Amino acid sequence: MKPVKVGILGLGTVGSGTFNVLKRNQKEILGRAGRRIEVAMVADRDVERAQSIVKGDCEVVADGYLLVNNPEIDIVVELIGGYTVAKDFVLKAIENGKHVVTANKALLAVHGNEIFEAAQKKKVIVAFEAAVAGGIPIIKALREGLTANRIEWIAGIINGTTNFILSGMRDKGLDFNTVLKDAQALGYAEADPTFDIEGIDAAHKATIMSAIAFGVPVQFDKAYVEGITKLESIDITYAEQLGYRIKLLGITKRMANGIELRVHPTLIPEKRLIANVEGAMNAVLVNSDAVGATLYYGKGAGSEPTASAVIADLVDIARVDTVNPEHRVPYLAFQPDAMNDTPILPITEVTTSYYLRMQVKDQPGVLADITRILADLSISIDAFLQKEPLEGETLVDIIILTHQTQEKNMNAAIEKIEQISTVMGKVTKIRLENLL
Ligand code: HSE
């Protein structure tokens, strides 16, 4: 059978990993795909650097349009990232009848619906295993492995940079900025680390998983996004004393009135496996009705781990191209006419448990005032911790863990607590998930 010809847009970390793994594991991949997967062209603005990687094995051009308009190429691998030029290249490739493999979570979370519609019309495949949790085959698990199930919720550590920072803050007692610099030096962080630390990268990935799990369009604009920049080391310490770890989780949940889609720092009981995912590793916990909880763990970033996912997509396309393309797996797991319009809920409608930290004057009646407010709003306390005042000080930290309540109810309680004259300053609120 004739080889499938691939063009790679962007020969950076993931692009060069893809090129190298394809070459190194050529025989194995041929055996699995049933036909050779050949890189015919690479487009990169830095032609010289790209040439030093491909070493004369394929043509290198600076202009991506030469690649997406090249009639020889069957599959375009988009590894440029971002929403702008990458979108134009992907749409052009589709228009030209080419299949697309992309690692671009930002592009799919924001413009996925338009891209999938275009691909559907042209009967080409857009594959994106590498867009979520790098080397972990979570898209395949959600779309295919779990296809018998009604998925209830997904909770994932899907940004390695922030997990690395949180691990460093907890283990070594280092501050946020010091660990961020380490993460950047190790190459985990996105070019603009804002996307990592503000939770945007995780929200892109959670948005894609939400669509696949619940059969709704991608709706990044409806996601609640809160990063780790405001998280204080003291809360990591107190959480630990209460038996919890704080992780940046991407959560999506099926509720009676809609779908929760949110990214925020979250307390998780330390005995959960996912609470022990450290450093730059990723993990996704999926709870479904038939199989129950399943956990997927691995490297969520990096050259060859992400290349592993890109090449899995290339092999899938190489195989599917030999059979009836109408029978392939739908982009968002559900057939286009089976998608639904269940709303994504605003964060005020979300139900979860909470960690509250406040500083109070150590005098009679303070606790009674606080607990009365919680009781009046039917918020039940799960655990309580009061620290001893430091020598010569009269202010103490109080930490309260609550049972589940709706976010708007909790916000109302906090507003009232902050008005008590013996409660000093703002109440720190961190969401808590028991995850089974
Ligand atoms: N910057 C991302 C992370 C990797 O830290 O996980 C690519 O998605």
Side-chain angles (χ1 to χ4, degrees), residues 78 82-83 86-87 90-91 94 100 102 104-121 124-128 131 143 204 207-209 211-212 216-221 330-332 339:
E78 185 276 302
Y83 313 103
K87 183 185 174 199
V90 164
L91 288 174
I94 293 171
V100 173
T102 178
N104 193 336
K105 58 260 166 176
L107 176 67
L108 294 179
V110 177
H111 300 292
N113 303 323
E114 181 187 344
I115 289 168
F116 297 139
E117 204 186 316
Q120 192 78 32
K121 272 197 198 124
V124 294
I125 298 169
V126 174
F128 51 92
R143 275 198 316 204
H204 287 146
T207 298
I208 296 170
M209 291 197 290
I212 290 173
V216 292
V218 285
Q219 295 165 80
F220 174 69
D221 56 334
Y331 309 107
L332 294 178
M339 302 279 287

mmCIF file of all heavy atoms in Angstrom, residues 78 82-83 86-87 90-91 94 100 102 104-121 124-128 131 143 204 207-209 211-212 216-221 330-332 339:
data_model
loop_
_atom_site.group_PDB
_atom_site.id
_atom_site.type_symbol
_atom_site.label_atom_id
_atom_site.label_comp_id
_atom_site.label_asym_id
_atom_site.label_seq_id
_atom_site.Cartn_x
_atom_site.Cartn_y
_atom_site.Cartn_z
ATOM 1 N N GLU A 78 -0.553 19.982 12.761
ATOM 2 C CA GLU A 78 -0.418 21.389 13.179
ATOM 3 C C GLU A 78 0.151 21.441 14.590
ATOM 4 O O GLU A 78 -0.509 21.053 15.550
ATOM 5 C CB GLU A 78 -1.793 22.065 13.104
ATOM 6 C CG GLU A 78 -1.775 23.548 13.404
ATOM 7 C CD GLU A 78 -1.819 23.860 14.902
ATOM 8 O OE1 GLU A 78 -2.769 23.440 15.590
ATOM 9 O OE2 GLU A 78 -0.874 24.520 15.378
ATOM 10 N N GLY A 82 -1.728 28.235 19.463
ATOM 11 C CA GLY A 82 -2.397 29.543 19.403
ATOM 12 C C GLY A 82 -3.627 29.533 18.517
ATOM 13 O O GLY A 82 -3.954 28.533 17.874
ATOM 14 N N TYR A 83 -4.328 30.684 18.516
ATOM 15 C CA TYR A 83 -5.612 30.747 17.813
ATOM 16 C C TYR A 83 -5.532 31.318 16.394
ATOM 17 O O TYR A 83 -6.450 31.186 15.630
ATOM 18 C CB TYR A 83 -6.601 31.680 18.533
ATOM 19 C CG TYR A 83 -6.752 31.532 20.010
ATOM 20 C CD1 TYR A 83 -6.151 32.428 20.873
ATOM 21 C CD2 TYR A 83 -7.544 30.521 20.544
ATOM 22 C CE1 TYR A 83 -6.327 32.327 22.243
ATOM 23 C CE2 TYR A 83 -7.716 30.413 21.904
ATOM 24 C CZ TYR A 83 -7.111 31.306 22.756
ATOM 25 O OH TYR A 83 -7.290 31.201 24.095
ATOM 26 N N ALA A 86 -2.554 29.400 13.213
ATOM 27 C CA ALA A 86 -2.839 27.951 13.262
ATOM 28 C C ALA A 86 -4.249 27.680 12.735
ATOM 29 O O ALA A 86 -4.489 26.702 12.022
ATOM 30 C CB ALA A 86 -2.688 27.439 14.690
ATOM 31 N N LYS A 87 -5.195 28.560 13.088
ATOM 32 C CA LYS A 87 -6.580 28.374 12.638
ATOM 33 C C LYS A 87 -6.659 28.482 11.106
ATOM 34 O O LYS A 87 -7.310 27.666 10.455
ATOM 35 C CB LYS A 87 -7.473 29.429 13.294
ATOM 36 C CG LYS A 87 -8.925 29.254 12.946
ATOM 37 C CD LYS A 87 -9.786 30.371 13.485
ATOM 38 C CE LYS A 87 -11.204 30.215 12.988
ATOM 39 N NZ LYS A 87 -11.962 31.447 13.101
ATOM 40 N N VAL A 90 -5.200 25.324 9.552
ATOM 41 C CA VAL A 90 -6.050 24.146 9.746
ATOM 42 C C VAL A 90 -7.255 24.218 8.795
ATOM 43 O O VAL A 90 -7.592 23.242 8.114
ATOM 44 C CB VAL A 90 -6.486 24.029 11.232
ATOM 45 C CG1 VAL A 90 -7.664 23.078 11.397
ATOM 46 C CG2 VAL A 90 -5.309 23.565 12.090
ATOM 47 N N LEU A 91 -7.894 25.387 8.727
ATOM 48 C CA LEU A 91 -9.071 25.503 7.856
ATOM 49 C C LEU A 91 -8.694 25.342 6.381
ATOM 50 O O LEU A 91 -9.434 24.747 5.598
ATOM 51 C CB LEU A 91 -9.789 26.836 8.104
ATOM 52 C CG LEU A 91 -10.541 26.915 9.448
ATOM 53 C CD1 LEU A 91 -11.111 28.303 9.685
ATOM 54 C CD2 LEU A 91 -11.666 25.860 9.531
ATOM 55 N N ILE A 94 -8.135 21.667 5.668
ATOM 56 C CA ILE A 94 -9.436 20.977 5.556
ATOM 57 C C ILE A 94 -10.067 21.283 4.196
ATOM 58 O O ILE A 94 -10.539 20.397 3.493
ATOM 59 C CB ILE A 94 -10.366 21.397 6.719
ATOM 60 C CG1 ILE A 94 -9.814 20.865 8.053
ATOM 61 C CG2 ILE A 94 -11.793 20.908 6.495
ATOM 62 C CD1 ILE A 94 -10.516 21.401 9.293
ATOM 63 N N VAL A 100 -6.278 16.387 9.431
ATOM 64 C CA VAL A 100 -5.470 17.239 10.308
ATOM 65 C C VAL A 100 -5.241 16.537 11.644
ATOM 66 O O VAL A 100 -6.172 15.945 12.200
ATOM 67 C CB VAL A 100 -6.176 18.603 10.557
ATOM 68 C CG1 VAL A 100 -5.428 19.428 11.607
ATOM 69 C CG2 VAL A 100 -6.319 19.386 9.258
ATOM 70 N N THR A 102 -3.731 17.696 15.384
ATOM 71 C CA THR A 102 -3.281 18.897 16.085
ATOM 72 C C THR A 102 -3.129 18.635 17.580
ATOM 73 O O THR A 102 -3.847 17.820 18.152
ATOM 74 C CB THR A 102 -4.239 20.088 15.830
ATOM 75 O OG1 THR A 102 -3.775 21.212 16.576
ATOM 76 C CG2 THR A 102 -5.672 19.792 16.233
ATOM 77 N N ASN A 104 -3.258 21.349 19.438
ATOM 78 C CA ASN A 104 -3.602 22.719 19.813
ATOM 79 C C ASN A 104 -4.920 22.809 20.599
ATOM 80 O O ASN A 104 -6.002 22.988 20.037
ATOM 81 C CB ASN A 104 -3.680 23.541 18.529
ATOM 82 C CG ASN A 104 -3.715 25.015 18.783
ATOM 83 O OD1 ASN A 104 -4.110 25.450 19.864
ATOM 84 N ND2 ASN A 104 -3.316 25.788 17.787
ATOM 85 N N LYS A 105 -4.801 22.714 21.924
ATOM 86 C CA LYS A 105 -6.000 22.743 22.781
ATOM 87 C C LYS A 105 -6.685 24.098 22.764
ATOM 88 O O LYS A 105 -7.909 24.187 22.831
ATOM 89 C CB LYS A 105 -5.648 22.340 24.216
ATOM 90 C CG LYS A 105 -4.592 23.197 24.887
ATOM 91 C CD LYS A 105 -3.232 22.557 24.863
ATOM 92 C CE LYS A 105 -2.142 23.554 25.225
ATOM 93 N NZ LYS A 105 -0.828 23.009 25.307
ATOM 94 N N ALA A 106 -5.889 25.174 22.672
ATOM 95 C CA ALA A 106 -6.477 26.517 22.660
ATOM 96 C C ALA A 106 -7.370 26.676 21.429
ATOM 97 O O ALA A 106 -8.517 27.134 21.512
ATOM 98 C CB ALA A 106 -5.371 27.565 22.658
ATOM 99 N N LEU A 107 -6.847 26.258 20.288
ATOM 100 C CA LEU A 107 -7.585 26.370 19.025
ATOM 101 C C LEU A 107 -8.900 25.574 19.088
ATOM 102 O O LEU A 107 -9.963 26.080 18.722
ATOM 103 C CB LEU A 107 -6.702 25.848 17.878
ATOM 104 C CG LEU A 107 -7.344 25.805 16.503
ATOM 105 C CD1 LEU A 107 -7.619 27.212 15.999
ATOM 106 C CD2 LEU A 107 -6.445 25.071 15.511
ATOM 107 N N LEU A 108 -8.836 24.348 19.596
ATOM 108 C CA LEU A 108 -10.041 23.509 19.606
ATOM 109 C C LEU A 108 -11.055 23.957 20.656
ATOM 110 O O LEU A 108 -12.257 23.892 20.427
ATOM 111 C CB LEU A 108 -9.667 22.043 19.819
ATOM 112 C CG LEU A 108 -8.858 21.419 18.683
ATOM 113 C CD1 LEU A 108 -8.526 19.975 19.008
ATOM 114 C CD2 LEU A 108 -9.604 21.497 17.348
ATOM 115 N N ALA A 109 -10.547 24.412 21.815
ATOM 116 C CA ALA A 109 -11.480 24.835 22.872
ATOM 117 C C ALA A 109 -12.253 26.074 22.443
ATOM 118 O O ALA A 109 -13.404 26.267 22.812
ATOM 119 C CB ALA A 109 -10.718 25.104 24.170
ATOM 120 N N VAL A 110 -11.612 26.916 21.636
ATOM 121 C CA VAL A 110 -12.255 28.179 21.246
ATOM 122 C C VAL A 110 -12.949 28.068 19.881
ATOM 123 O O VAL A 110 -14.055 28.560 19.703
ATOM 124 C CB VAL A 110 -11.211 29.329 21.250
ATOM 125 C CG1 VAL A 110 -11.822 30.634 20.776
ATOM 126 C CG2 VAL A 110 -10.629 29.503 22.658
ATOM 127 N N HIS A 111 -12.290 27.423 18.912
ATOM 128 C CA HIS A 111 -12.848 27.374 17.544
ATOM 129 C C HIS A 111 -13.199 25.957 17.088
ATOM 130 O O HIS A 111 -13.423 25.731 15.896
ATOM 131 C CB HIS A 111 -11.838 27.973 16.548
ATOM 132 C CG HIS A 111 -11.494 29.401 16.827
ATOM 133 N ND1 HIS A 111 -12.385 30.432 16.683
ATOM 134 C CD2 HIS A 111 -10.345 29.969 17.267
ATOM 135 C CE1 HIS A 111 -11.804 31.573 17.022
ATOM 136 N NE2 HIS A 111 -10.568 31.321 17.389
ATOM 137 N N GLY A 112 -13.235 25.018 18.033
ATOM 138 C CA GLY A 112 -13.452 23.612 17.671
ATOM 139 C C GLY A 112 -14.725 23.383 16.871
ATOM 140 O O GLY A 112 -14.718 22.642 15.883
ATOM 141 N N ASN A 113 -15.822 24.038 17.276
ATOM 142 C CA ASN A 113 -17.105 23.767 16.602
ATOM 143 C C ASN A 113 -17.021 24.111 15.107
ATOM 144 O O ASN A 113 -17.475 23.348 14.259
ATOM 145 C CB ASN A 113 -18.242 24.538 17.271
ATOM 146 C CG ASN A 113 -18.344 24.189 18.748
ATOM 147 O OD1 ASN A 113 -18.133 23.045 19.125
ATOM 148 N ND2 ASN A 113 -18.619 25.180 19.583
ATOM 149 N N GLU A 114 -16.400 25.255 14.819
ATOM 150 C CA GLU A 114 -16.255 25.690 13.424
ATOM 151 C C GLU A 114 -15.340 24.715 12.656
ATOM 152 O O GLU A 114 -15.635 24.332 11.516
ATOM 153 C CB GLU A 114 -15.647 27.109 13.439
ATOM 154 C CG GLU A 114 -15.461 27.713 12.088
ATOM 155 C CD GLU A 114 -14.696 29.046 12.159
ATOM 156 O OE1 GLU A 114 -14.579 29.646 13.256
ATOM 157 O OE2 GLU A 114 -14.195 29.474 11.096
ATOM 158 N N ILE A 115 -14.268 24.317 13.310
ATOM 159 C CA ILE A 115 -13.307 23.414 12.656
ATOM 160 C C ILE A 115 -13.935 22.040 12.389
ATOM 161 O O ILE A 115 -13.815 21.486 11.297
ATOM 162 C CB ILE A 115 -12.022 23.309 13.515
ATOM 163 C CG1 ILE A 115 -11.263 24.635 13.428
ATOM 164 C CG2 ILE A 115 -11.140 22.139 13.084
ATOM 165 C CD1 ILE A 115 -10.144 24.790 14.417
ATOM 166 N N PHE A 116 -14.662 21.500 13.385
ATOM 167 C CA PHE A 116 -15.265 20.179 13.191
ATOM 168 C C PHE A 116 -16.352 20.226 12.107
ATOM 169 O O PHE A 116 -16.519 19.275 11.354
ATOM 170 C CB PHE A 116 -15.856 19.648 14.502
ATOM 171 C CG PHE A 116 -14.814 19.439 15.570
ATOM 172 C CD1 PHE A 116 -15.057 19.796 16.891
ATOM 173 C CD2 PHE A 116 -13.577 18.909 15.256
ATOM 174 C CE1 PHE A 116 -14.093 19.615 17.871
ATOM 175 C CE2 PHE A 116 -12.597 18.714 16.225
ATOM 176 C CZ PHE A 116 -12.861 19.078 17.532
ATOM 177 N N GLU A 117 -17.077 21.329 12.057
ATOM 178 C CA GLU A 117 -18.120 21.455 11.040
ATOM 179 C C GLU A 117 -17.502 21.455 9.640
ATOM 180 O O GLU A 117 -17.990 20.785 8.731
ATOM 181 C CB GLU A 117 -18.899 22.752 11.282
ATOM 182 C CG GLU A 117 -20.285 22.700 10.694
ATOM 183 C CD GLU A 117 -21.002 24.041 10.808
ATOM 184 O OE1 GLU A 117 -20.929 24.666 11.882
ATOM 185 O OE2 GLU A 117 -21.602 24.444 9.802
ATOM 186 N N ALA A 118 -16.414 22.216 9.509
ATOM 187 C CA ALA A 118 -15.734 22.270 8.206
ATOM 188 C C ALA A 118 -15.222 20.882 7.825
ATOM 189 O O ALA A 118 -15.342 20.449 6.669
ATOM 190 C CB ALA A 118 -14.578 23.270 8.268
ATOM 191 N N ALA A 119 -14.664 20.168 8.821
ATOM 192 C CA ALA A 119 -14.106 18.840 8.550
ATOM 193 C C ALA A 119 -15.212 17.850 8.170
ATOM 194 O O ALA A 119 -15.050 17.028 7.270
ATOM 195 C CB ALA A 119 -13.346 18.338 9.772
ATOM 196 N N GLN A 120 -16.336 17.972 8.862
ATOM 197 C CA GLN A 120 -17.483 17.090 8.588
ATOM 198 C C GLN A 120 -17.923 17.260 7.131
ATOM 199 O O GLN A 120 -18.173 16.285 6.433
ATOM 200 C CB GLN A 120 -18.629 17.473 9.545
ATOM 201 C CG GLN A 120 -19.769 16.501 9.590
ATOM 202 C CD GLN A 120 -19.436 15.270 10.435
ATOM 203 O OE1 GLN A 120 -18.680 15.385 11.395
ATOM 204 N NE2 GLN A 120 -19.948 14.126 10.059
ATOM 205 N N LYS A 121 -17.994 18.534 6.704
ATOM 206 C CA LYS A 121 -18.435 18.824 5.330
ATOM 207 C C LYS A 121 -17.480 18.218 4.315
ATOM 208 O O LYS A 121 -17.890 17.693 3.295
ATOM 209 C CB LYS A 121 -18.495 20.341 5.124
ATOM 210 C CG LYS A 121 -19.818 20.927 5.526
ATOM 211 C CD LYS A 121 -20.010 22.324 4.932
ATOM 212 C CE LYS A 121 -21.100 23.037 5.687
ATOM 213 N NZ LYS A 121 -20.680 24.316 6.255
ATOM 214 N N VAL A 124 -13.194 14.906 6.155
ATOM 215 C CA VAL A 124 -11.812 14.633 6.584
ATOM 216 C C VAL A 124 -11.789 14.515 8.111
ATOM 217 O O VAL A 124 -12.738 14.899 8.794
ATOM 218 C CB VAL A 124 -10.827 15.741 6.130
ATOM 219 C CG1 VAL A 124 -10.706 15.771 4.619
ATOM 220 C CG2 VAL A 124 -11.211 17.105 6.685
ATOM 221 N N ILE A 125 -10.687 14.008 8.603
ATOM 222 C CA ILE A 125 -10.562 13.772 10.045
ATOM 223 C C ILE A 125 -9.748 14.900 10.687
ATOM 224 O O ILE A 125 -8.748 15.354 10.123
ATOM 225 C CB ILE A 125 -9.854 12.418 10.295
ATOM 226 C CG1 ILE A 125 -10.691 11.277 9.718
ATOM 227 C CG2 ILE A 125 -9.578 12.207 11.783
ATOM 228 C CD1 ILE A 125 -9.972 9.943 9.677
ATOM 229 N N VAL A 126 -10.211 15.341 11.864
ATOM 230 C CA VAL A 126 -9.387 16.228 12.692
ATOM 231 C C VAL A 126 -9.132 15.452 13.987
ATOM 232 O O VAL A 126 -10.069 15.176 14.737
ATOM 233 C CB VAL A 126 -10.096 17.564 12.991
ATOM 234 C CG1 VAL A 126 -9.277 18.400 13.976
ATOM 235 C CG2 VAL A 126 -10.329 18.348 11.709
ATOM 236 N N ALA A 127 -7.883 15.079 14.213
ATOM 237 C CA ALA A 127 -7.560 14.250 15.377
ATOM 238 C C ALA A 127 -6.748 15.080 16.373
ATOM 239 O O ALA A 127 -5.927 15.900 15.967
ATOM 240 C CB ALA A 127 -6.780 13.025 14.934
ATOM 241 N N PHE A 128 -6.986 14.870 17.673
ATOM 242 C CA PHE A 128 -6.390 15.806 18.647
ATOM 243 C C PHE A 128 -6.031 15.144 19.975
ATOM 244 O O PHE A 128 -6.148 15.759 21.027
ATOM 245 C CB PHE A 128 -7.342 17.000 18.847
ATOM 246 C CG PHE A 128 -8.758 16.624 19.159
ATOM 247 C CD1 PHE A 128 -9.190 16.502 20.469
ATOM 248 C CD2 PHE A 128 -9.664 16.379 18.140
ATOM 249 C CE1 PHE A 128 -10.495 16.144 20.755
ATOM 250 C CE2 PHE A 128 -10.969 16.015 18.414
ATOM 251 C CZ PHE A 128 -11.391 15.907 19.735
ATOM 252 N N ALA A 131 -3.860 17.089 22.304
ATOM 253 C CA ALA A 131 -4.320 18.385 22.831
ATOM 254 C C ALA A 131 -4.662 18.318 24.318
ATOM 255 O O ALA A 131 -4.676 19.331 25.009
ATOM 256 C CB ALA A 131 -5.532 18.870 22.037
ATOM 257 N N ARG A 143 -13.631 8.715 24.278
ATOM 258 C CA ARG A 143 -14.475 8.567 23.088
ATOM 259 C C ARG A 143 -14.755 7.118 22.732
ATOM 260 O O ARG A 143 -15.784 6.798 22.163
ATOM 261 C CB ARG A 143 -13.794 9.215 21.876
ATOM 262 C CG ARG A 143 -14.037 10.668 21.754
ATOM 263 C CD ARG A 143 -13.749 11.226 20.384
ATOM 264 N NE ARG A 143 -12.542 10.780 19.743
ATOM 265 C CZ ARG A 143 -11.908 11.473 18.804
ATOM 266 N NH1 ARG A 143 -12.369 12.648 18.424
ATOM 267 N NH2 ARG A 143 -10.834 11.008 18.239
ATOM 268 N N HIS A 204 -8.798 25.053 28.735
ATOM 269 C CA HIS A 204 -8.907 24.613 27.337
ATOM 270 C C HIS A 204 -9.109 23.098 27.296
ATOM 271 O O HIS A 204 -9.976 22.571 26.594
ATOM 272 C CB HIS A 204 -7.619 24.956 26.561
ATOM 273 C CG HIS A 204 -7.470 26.425 26.251
ATOM 274 N ND1 HIS A 204 -6.241 27.055 26.208
ATOM 275 C CD2 HIS A 204 -8.385 27.381 25.966
ATOM 276 C CE1 HIS A 204 -6.418 28.330 25.902
ATOM 277 N NE2 HIS A 204 -7.715 28.553 25.755
ATOM 278 N N THR A 207 -12.461 21.934 28.747
ATOM 279 C CA THR A 207 -13.542 22.242 27.797
ATOM 280 C C THR A 207 -13.676 21.123 26.759
ATOM 281 O O THR A 207 -14.788 20.679 26.443
ATOM 282 C CB THR A 207 -13.242 23.579 27.077
ATOM 283 O OG1 THR A 207 -13.196 24.615 28.055
ATOM 284 C CG2 THR A 207 -14.280 23.907 26.028
ATOM 285 N N ILE A 208 -12.553 20.671 26.260
ATOM 286 C CA ILE A 208 -12.578 19.610 25.235
ATOM 287 C C ILE A 208 -13.121 18.319 25.854
ATOM 288 O O ILE A 208 -13.988 17.644 25.285
ATOM 289 C CB ILE A 208 -11.169 19.403 24.633
ATOM 290 C CG1 ILE A 208 -10.718 20.674 23.890
ATOM 291 C CG2 ILE A 208 -11.147 18.189 23.695
ATOM 292 C CD1 ILE A 208 -9.264 20.685 23.447
ATOM 293 N N MET A 209 -12.661 17.988 27.063
ATOM 294 C CA MET A 209 -13.139 16.751 27.703
ATOM 295 C C MET A 209 -14.624 16.831 28.025
ATOM 296 O O MET A 209 -15.353 15.848 27.921
ATOM 297 C CB MET A 209 -12.333 16.468 28.973
ATOM 298 C CG MET A 209 -10.898 16.072 28.673
ATOM 299 S SD MET A 209 -10.101 15.279 30.086
ATOM 300 C CE MET A 209 -9.942 16.635 31.210
ATOM 301 N N ALA A 211 -16.975 18.454 26.403
ATOM 302 C CA ALA A 211 -17.760 18.250 25.184
ATOM 303 C C ALA A 211 -17.843 16.761 24.851
ATOM 304 O O ALA A 211 -18.917 16.224 24.544
ATOM 305 C CB ALA A 211 -17.135 19.025 24.028
ATOM 306 N N ILE A 212 -16.706 16.083 24.960
ATOM 307 C CA ILE A 212 -16.662 14.666 24.605
ATOM 308 C C ILE A 212 -17.449 13.813 25.609
ATOM 309 O O ILE A 212 -18.111 12.847 25.245
ATOM 310 C CB ILE A 212 -15.191 14.198 24.544
ATOM 311 C CG1 ILE A 212 -14.522 14.824 23.332
ATOM 312 C CG2 ILE A 212 -15.090 12.683 24.484
ATOM 313 C CD1 ILE A 212 -13.060 14.578 23.257
ATOM 314 N N VAL A 216 -21.873 17.844 24.167
ATOM 315 C CA VAL A 216 -22.235 19.255 23.945
ATOM 316 C C VAL A 216 -21.112 19.908 23.118
ATOM 317 O O VAL A 216 -20.007 19.388 23.079
ATOM 318 C CB VAL A 216 -22.389 20.014 25.291
ATOM 319 C CG1 VAL A 216 -23.591 19.504 26.062
ATOM 320 C CG2 VAL A 216 -21.130 19.925 26.143
ATOM 321 N N PRO A 217 -21.411 21.041 22.472
ATOM 322 C CA PRO A 217 -20.339 21.716 21.732
ATOM 323 C C PRO A 217 -19.241 22.202 22.688
ATOM 324 O O PRO A 217 -19.479 22.300 23.896
ATOM 325 C CB PRO A 217 -21.060 22.916 21.086
ATOM 326 C CG PRO A 217 -22.508 22.605 21.155
ATOM 327 C CD PRO A 217 -22.705 21.714 22.339
ATOM 328 N N VAL A 218 -18.052 22.520 22.152
ATOM 329 C CA VAL A 218 -17.004 23.094 23.008
ATOM 330 C C VAL A 218 -17.421 24.529 23.377
ATOM 331 O O VAL A 218 -17.869 25.283 22.518
ATOM 332 C CB VAL A 218 -15.610 23.094 22.331
ATOM 333 C CG1 VAL A 218 -15.013 21.714 22.305
ATOM 334 C CG2 VAL A 218 -15.644 23.679 20.934
ATOM 335 N N GLN A 219 -17.305 24.860 24.669
ATOM 336 C CA GLN A 219 -17.778 26.182 25.128
ATOM 337 C C GLN A 219 -16.806 26.772 26.144
ATOM 338 O O GLN A 219 -17.134 26.908 27.329
ATOM 339 C CB GLN A 219 -19.166 26.048 25.769
ATOM 340 C CG GLN A 219 -20.225 25.607 24.778
ATOM 341 C CD GLN A 219 -21.495 25.135 25.449
ATOM 342 O OE1 GLN A 219 -22.311 25.941 25.864
ATOM 343 N NE2 GLN A 219 -21.668 23.836 25.567
ATOM 344 N N PHE A 220 -15.623 27.104 25.664
ATOM 345 C CA PHE A 220 -14.593 27.640 26.561
ATOM 346 C C PHE A 220 -15.059 28.921 27.256
ATOM 347 O O PHE A 220 -14.746 29.163 28.417
ATOM 348 C CB PHE A 220 -13.306 27.913 25.760
ATOM 349 C CG PHE A 220 -12.244 28.604 26.551
ATOM 350 C CD1 PHE A 220 -11.600 27.947 27.588
ATOM 351 C CD2 PHE A 220 -11.890 29.919 26.272
ATOM 352 C CE1 PHE A 220 -10.623 28.580 28.348
ATOM 353 C CE2 PHE A 220 -10.917 30.556 27.012
ATOM 354 C CZ PHE A 220 -10.280 29.885 28.054
ATOM 355 N N ASP A 221 -15.868 29.719 26.542
ATOM 356 C CA ASP A 221 -16.309 31.002 27.113
ATOM 357 C C ASP A 221 -17.210 30.816 28.341
ATOM 358 O O ASP A 221 -17.406 31.753 29.114
ATOM 359 C CB ASP A 221 -17.023 31.859 26.045
ATOM 360 C CG ASP A 221 -18.188 31.123 25.407
ATOM 361 O OD1 ASP A 221 -18.176 29.880 25.374
ATOM 362 O OD2 ASP A 221 -19.132 31.796 24.954
ATOM 363 N N PRO A 330 -16.708 9.819 15.878
ATOM 364 C CA PRO A 330 -17.050 11.247 15.754
ATOM 365 C C PRO A 330 -16.108 12.121 16.582
ATOM 366 O O PRO A 330 -15.636 11.694 17.630
ATOM 367 C CB PRO A 330 -18.473 11.334 16.322
ATOM 368 C CG PRO A 330 -18.962 9.946 16.437
ATOM 369 C CD PRO A 330 -17.785 9.040 16.492
ATOM 370 N N TYR A 331 -15.857 13.334 16.107
ATOM 371 C CA TYR A 331 -14.890 14.251 16.762
ATOM 372 C C TYR A 331 -15.162 14.372 18.246
ATOM 373 O O TYR A 331 -14.274 14.249 19.071
ATOM 374 C CB TYR A 331 -14.960 15.664 16.156
ATOM 375 C CG TYR A 331 -14.858 15.656 14.668
ATOM 376 C CD1 TYR A 331 -15.963 15.917 13.867
ATOM 377 C CD2 TYR A 331 -13.653 15.333 14.072
ATOM 378 C CE1 TYR A 331 -15.862 15.859 12.496
ATOM 379 C CE2 TYR A 331 -13.547 15.275 12.694
ATOM 380 C CZ TYR A 331 -14.654 15.533 11.915
ATOM 381 O OH TYR A 331 -14.564 15.468 10.574
ATOM 382 N N LEU A 332 -16.395 14.687 18.583
ATOM 383 C CA LEU A 332 -16.732 14.910 19.986
ATOM 384 C C LEU A 332 -17.473 13.698 20.565
ATOM 385 O O LEU A 332 -18.338 13.839 21.427
ATOM 386 C CB LEU A 332 -17.543 16.195 20.152
ATOM 387 C CG LEU A 332 -16.772 17.471 19.803
ATOM 388 C CD1 LEU A 332 -17.644 18.713 19.940
ATOM 389 C CD2 LEU A 332 -15.527 17.638 20.657
ATOM 390 N N MET A 339 -25.840 15.395 19.393
ATOM 391 C CA MET A 339 -25.311 16.379 20.347
ATOM 392 C C MET A 339 -26.505 17.049 21.040
ATOM 393 O O MET A 339 -27.603 17.090 20.496
ATOM 394 C CB MET A 339 -24.512 17.462 19.613
ATOM 395 C CG MET A 339 -23.364 16.909 18.798
ATOM 396 S SD MET A 339 -21.910 16.547 19.766
ATOM 397 C CE MET A 339 -21.335 18.187 20.103
#
